[in-house]
Amino acid sequence: IAPDRLFSNSAGLADFRGARDSFRLAPDGSGVSFGFAFGRTDIGAFDLTKMESTTPAPRWLAASSGSKTMVVEQWLQNPRPTLNRRPLPLDQDEIALSAAIDADRSTLALGTSFNLRYFDREGVEQWHVATPGSTWQVNLSQDGRWLVAGFSDGTIRWCRTRDGVQQLALLPH
């Protein structure tokens, strides 16, 4: 390390904080786009069908966090998120960081500082899984099969919506 540089970060890991609009999914979850760094505008994308980096397609959608039938509030950096004015259960010291409502407005994905949580439209938790770090982004595929999340460890992971079991991880760098 040069004498004028005390710290250096050459890991090249993606930082998904604050990149909600760029975290987009193909309707079937087979493609994802994402911001590489907090506060920057460079966008990456990966197509699972071709197993290669790509350009995001216009039909890829960002997460929705509200509708007329499902109103999610206080979900951004808050320990007390609500769904239709009902509190969603979180563990002590857990903070909500990201939210996404599915296409048919029947379920909610909530990413937190410790967990990935999945609720029905009434706010009843269907499942939750511990995460490898803070869940900066969540999105749901339009076909209802996949919950895709971007984590503070730089990974993007695909989990089945039926049970939260992880099926795939991508480390863009």
Side-chain angles (χ1 to χ4, degrees):
I1 297 178
D4 62 336
R5 182 179 288 179
L6 295 177
F7 298 99
S8 176
N9 178 5
S10 60
L13 296 177
D15 182 347
F16 305 117
R17 290 177 298 156
R20 183 173 174 77
D21 192 50
S22 64
F23 198 79
R24 295 174 173 261
L25 281 184
D28 64 356
S30 65
V32 62
S33 69
F34 48 89
F36 266 109
F38 181 68
R40 290 185 28 199
T41 58
D42 48 340
I43 303 294
F46 196 82
D47 185 334
L48 294 173
T49 61
K50 298 177 183 174
M51 295 303 287
E52 65 185 20
S53 295
T54 189
T55 302
R59 61 184 171 75
W60 293 9
L61 300 173
S64 169
S65 60
S67 74
K68 290 180 181 179
T69 58
M70 291 183 74
V71 178
V72 185
E73 295 176 304
Q74 301 178 55
W75 61 265
L76 183 57
Q77 299 180 0
N78 197 304
R80 293 180 203 80
T82 63
L83 175 60
N84 296 331
R85 300 190 185 264
R86 286 182 231 139
L88 295 172
L90 297 185
D91 293 338
Q92 184 174 349
D93 298 324
E94 188 175 12
I95 306 280
L97 299 170
S98 53
I101 294 174
D102 72 337
D104 68 3
R105 311 298 190 240
S106 64
T107 59
L108 166 69
L110 189 70
T112 76
S113 47
F114 307 130
N115 295 294
L116 192 54
R117 296 177 178 275
Y118 196 64
F119 298 92
D120 68 15
R121 78 172 69 236
E122 304 302 321
V124 175
E125 188 173 76
Q126 303 302 293
W127 53 260
H128 75 270
V129 294
T131 59
S134 296
T135 311
W136 294 124
Q137 301 298 329
V138 290
N139 204 337
L140 292 159
S141 63
Q142 297 293 297
D143 66 5
R145 297 179 350 168
W146 302 108
L147 189 164
V148 181
F151 297 98
S152 61
D153 69 351
T155 61
I156 298 171
R157 298 170 189 247
W158 280 254
C159 299
R160 293 187 307 225
T161 55
R162 73 172 182 242
D163 57 12
V165 173
Q166 179 183 309
Q167 299 297 297
L168 179 71
L170 173 69
L171 177 63
H173 58 90

